[in-house]
Each structure stands twice: as structure tokens, then as C-alpha cells.
Amino acid sequence: MTSEERREARYHRRKSKRQANRLKRSKEVGTLQDVFNYHDMFFYGRKCCTGVRWKQSTQNFELHLFSGTAKRRREVLDGKWKQKKCAHFTISERGKVRPIDAPHIDDRQIHKVFTNEVLIPLYHPSMICDNGASQRGKGLHWHFRRLTQQLAWHYRRYGREGGIFLLDLKSFFPNANRDIIYRRHQQVMFDPQIRAVADAIIDYAPYGNAPGRGMPLGVEPSQQEMVSLPSAIDNYIKCQLGLHCAGHYMDDYYVIYHDIEELKQIARDIVKKFESFGIRVNKKKCKIIPLTKPFRFCKARFTLTETGAIKINGSRDGVKRARRKLKMFHREYLAGRKTLFEIDQYMECQTAYYRNFDDHGRLLRLRRLHYAMFSRYREQEQLKKSA
């Protein structure tokens, strides 16, 4: 047997083993009746109410949760469940406007059950560790700590040699190719009823930039579908290219390597891989930065010093916005539209954010501004209360 035949035989053995693992996981998920059992639906129905019990719709939903859960379960099992219209609105998050499609709370119960009982068990085994978005036990600051560990690992072996390749995907949610998602459903969901529910959730979602493309923000299954969408490319980067210091948070990727010339070739290979999978790359935002210079990842600024210390600074734009808001709040307080309690709450939010970073100086200057503006009014209110 030649070396080519041996490689082909190994490939087919690995392929059959992966398929057997997918089939095993699909059987462990169970049937549609197992997924949408009354106990789990009631449990996740209560979870949907957490933090939004002040809403009238949430109060009505929780008031009729016993009977409503039974009704919605019967609709799903009979194939008669139809999603209600989403509430569309826009939010400005850290200076960026994002369109949000919020589903009705009745549909959120179905979405939460399907995400936690089907999508996560089937998608999670193929996801890499360094994918930190929208997963239990992880998050943005977990990913910052992970990137810090990888920078320290690189520094112990190569010092500050090499650089970091930063890659950004273009309109990740609005440009998502739904055909890829449908094919993934066929690969991992072997129960036709479960696959029909998964396809129905995707079919109902509004389109993004073009027909057949786009996934909505604010829908839990959509979030899980998108966070696991590039798993094949993640495994290509980790396994086939053998890159230890690589990862991504949703659509923001990074690769750390000790040779910049080789890193340029690696970057070209990764971009070609994304394009072959139908995932668009924003080439204007792709860059290679030497590790001797600071770089930004997810609005945070990382600096690898000569001694190996790693400094992380928060968003500089956030300080500018906070100063402008404090000045605006000062005018609104004088006009009687804001209270000192509301302003102190905002200041506490800013303090909590910058405590996570090496930003003692920025936080100190922001507190000084807050004190200079509002300390005398606080003393006046205390004198009025004591009088």
C-alpha cells in the first residue's frame, strides 16, 4: 500500500468515526417529545422572565405559564407552532448602531428550550476552546484573560518577536449564508422533526443584506448558530495550521506568530479559507501588527512590554463619551430632569467597566470631574434633609 493510499484510508476512518460521533450525539438529544418535555419547557419559561418581570407581557406570560406551556408544547409536537412577529428596533451600543429583532416571549420559551437542549449539545463538541462568545462560563473578559495567557506563552518562547494578525468579518450577522446553516442541520440533526423545527426558526427570521442571507440579532438560536458557524475554519487554523495562539470572539479573529513573513502567508490562507466557505472578510480591517507595538482587540488595547508584562486598557472613546455625558447630566440636573441618584448610578457603571482594566488614571480623572460637578449639590441636599 502506497503512502497516498494509507492517507486516504486514515481519512476515511476519521470521517466514519466523526459521523458515528454525530449520530451518537443526535441520539442522546432524543426525539422531539424528549426535547420539548413539559418539565424543561416550564423551567426555561421561568428563565425567560428573569430580569424583565416589570413588563406587562412578561407578567401575563408568567401568570398563565402552566396552561400556556402545555398549549405551546402541543403546538410544537403537532407541527402547528407558528412564530409571532418580532419587535424590530435599533440600539446604539458603544457608538455603533445595531438593528435588533426581539421575539415574542411565547417564542422565546421555544427558542430557549431548542438552543439549550439541541443546538448547544450538537454544536459545542466541534467548537474550539478559544471561541469565547455566548457560551457558558465564558465571555468577553474570559477571552481577554485567554489572550493574555497566549501572549505570555508566546513571550516565554519567542520574546516580542513576530506579530499578531487581526481579522474582522464583514457584517457577520447580516451577511450570514443560510445555505451553510441548513447543510449543518442536515449533518448533525438526524431526527427529521427536530431538523424541521430548526429550519423553521431560520426560515422565519428576516433577511439581512440579500435574499438567502442574514441572521437576526436578539434571537437566541440565531446567536448560537452564528457563534458556531466558522467552526470548520477554527479547526483548520488550530489543527491543520497548528497555531496555538489563535482564537476569536464572534467575528473578531486574531493569530499570534513568531515570524511576520510566515504570518503574512498564514493570513492569506485564512482569508481564502473564509471566502471558500462563503463567509465575507472585511479586508480593510485586516492588519498585521508587530508585538513591539500596542494593538486593539474588541475595543481593548493590549501592550506587551519588554519585561513581558501585559497591560490591558479599556476603550479610550468610552472616556470621552462619559465626560460628555456627565456635562450633559449637569445641565439636565439644573433643569430638574435628572437626580443625583441617577447620575451616581451612571458613574458606578463607568467605574465597574474601568476596574476590569489597567486604567486607574482614567478612572481617577473621571471621578474628579464627577466630584467637581456634583459634590456641592450633594452637600446642599444633605443640608436640606438635616434641616
Side-chain angles (χ1 to χ4, degrees):
M1 183 182 289
T2 63
S3 60
E4 289 291 336
E5 291 173 341
R6 285 196 298 272
R7 279 197 291 270
E8 188 72 16
R10 285 197 300 270
Y11 166 73
H12 286 295
R13 284 198 300 270
R14 290 195 300 269
K15 186 177 179 181
S16 61
K17 188 175 181 179
R18 284 194 292 266
Q19 186 68 8
N21 289 334
R22 291 193 193 106
L23 183 60
K24 180 184 176 183
R25 287 193 290 267
S26 182
K27 287 180 178 178
E28 288 174 351
V29 166
T31 62
L32 195 66
Q33 290 81 3
D34 298 327
V35 171
F36 289 97
N37 62 78
Y38 187 88
H39 178 271
D40 287 343
M41 287 191 67
F42 186 85
F43 172 77
Y44 287 114
R46 293 291 299 273
K47 286 279 188 182
C48 291
C49 303
T50 304
V52 287
R53 283 189 170 88
W54 54 272
K55 292 184 179 181
Q56 184 63 49
S57 59
T58 306
Q59 294 170 13
N60 295 337
F61 171 81
E62 197 167 22
L63 185 64
H64 303 285
L65 188 56
F66 280 104
S67 58
T69 298
K71 177 186 174 183
R72 285 183 286 275
R73 180 176 183 269
R74 180 49 50 197
E75 288 176 351
V76 172
L77 296 183
D78 293 343
K80 297 179 180 179
W81 172 63
K82 293 184 179 179
Q83 300 181 72
K84 299 179 181 179
K85 189 176 181 181
C86 293
H88 181 80
F89 57 93
T90 57
I91 62 170
S92 180
E93 184 183 27
R94 295 189 296 274
K96 186 171 183 180
V97 177
R98 300 179 188 274
I100 304 294
D101 293 281
H104 194 275
I105 192 167
D106 292 354
D107 296 332
R108 281 182 60 205
Q109 183 184 23
I110 309 296
H111 291 168
K112 195 169 280 291
V113 172
F114 194 79
T115 301
N116 289 278
E117 300 298 323
V118 177
L119 295 183
I120 291 177
L122 294 182
Y123 287 162
H124 185 75
S126 63
M127 295 166 64
I128 62 172
C129 173
D130 296 313
N131 179 359
S134 299
Q135 295 183 61
R136 292 191 190 105
K138 297 183 181 180
L140 184 60
H141 290 284
W142 176 92
H143 207 92
F144 287 163
R145 290 193 297 271
R146 181 65 177 170
L147 177 53
T148 303
Q149 292 170 4
Q150 291 177 342
L151 283 170
W153 184 93
H154 179 92
Y155 182 83
R156 286 195 298 270
R157 286 157 180 80
Y158 308 107
R160 296 203 296 173
E161 293 180 9
I164 181 168
F165 169 56
L166 300 174
L167 178 143
D168 185 76
L169 301 181
K170 188 174 183 179
S171 300
F172 188 46
F173 275 78
N175 282 330
N177 192 337
R178 295 192 180 185
D179 290 336
I180 300 175
I181 298 173
Y182 292 139
R183 287 199 295 269
R184 292 177 76 233
H185 289 172
Q186 294 175 354
Q187 290 174 356
V188 300
M189 300 176 191
F190 294 91
D191 188 304
Q193 290 182 310
I194 291 178
R195 190 165 61 245
V197 173
D199 291 345
I201 293 173
I202 303 300
D203 289 337
Y204 186 78
Y207 289 117
N209 292 339
R213 286 186 173 272
M215 293 293 286
L217 285 166
V219 182
E220 194 167 354
S222 170
Q223 196 81 6
Q224 196 60 40
E225 293 277 8
M226 293 304 295
V227 77
S228 59
L229 181 66
S231 292
I233 302 171
D234 296 345
N235 286 287
Y236 167 78
I237 294 171
K238 285 287 187 178
C239 301
Q240 291 181 258
L241 297 182
L243 299 172
H244 174 74
C245 298
H248 72 103
Y249 188 85
M250 198 57 79
D251 61 335
D252 293 314
Y253 276 75
Y254 66 87
V255 176
I256 304 171
Y257 200 69
H258 59 273
D259 189 308
I260 289 185
E261 292 302 320
E262 290 185 34
L263 184 58
K264 290 178 181 178
Q265 183 58 45
I266 290 170
R268 286 191 285 268
D269 293 342
I270 293 173
V271 170
K272 287 179 183 177
K273 199 71 175 178
F274 272 110
E275 291 175 346
S276 67
F277 272 77
I279 301 175
R280 298 178 182 177
V281 177
N282 191 343
K283 295 182 180 179
K284 292 181 180 178
K285 292 186 178 180
C286 294
K287 60 185 80 171
I288 294 176
I289 300 174
L291 290 178
T292 53
K293 296 181 180 179
F295 64 90
R296 294 184 184 276
F297 178 76
C298 291
K299 300 284 186 180
R301 183 172 180 262
F302 291 80
T303 306
L304 180 61
T305 63
E306 293 181 359
T307 60
I310 301 164
K311 296 181 180 179
I312 310 176
N313 300 106
S315 175
R316 185 167 176 261
D317 295 335
V319 178
K320 296 178 182 178
R321 283 195 295 270
R323 292 178 66 87
R324 285 197 297 266
K325 279 193 175 183
L326 284 176
K327 293 172 184 177
M328 181 191 69
F329 289 163
H330 183 256
R331 294 192 296 270
E332 292 194 346
Y333 173 78
L334 295 177
R337 292 190 295 268
K338 283 280 183 186
T339 65
L340 286 177
F341 177 73
E342 292 172 335
I343 297 169
D344 290 344
Q345 278 187 320
Y346 173 77
M347 191 60 199
E348 185 60 35
C349 293
Q350 298 301 311
T351 302
Y353 173 74
Y354 285 104
R355 275 177 184 161
N356 294 308
F357 302 101
D358 303 319
D359 281 326
H360 175 72
R362 286 177 178 174
L363 184 57
L364 186 63
R365 288 190 291 273
L366 199 60
R367 280 176 169 173
R368 284 173 179 168
L369 178 65
H370 175 254
Y371 181 81
M373 282 183 170
F374 300 104
S375 61
R376 62 180 181 274
Y377 302 120
R378 188 173 289 105
E379 291 173 0
Q380 292 172 5
E381 289 191 1
Q382 288 175 356
L383 287 173
K384 286 180 182 179
K385 289 179 181 178
S386 61

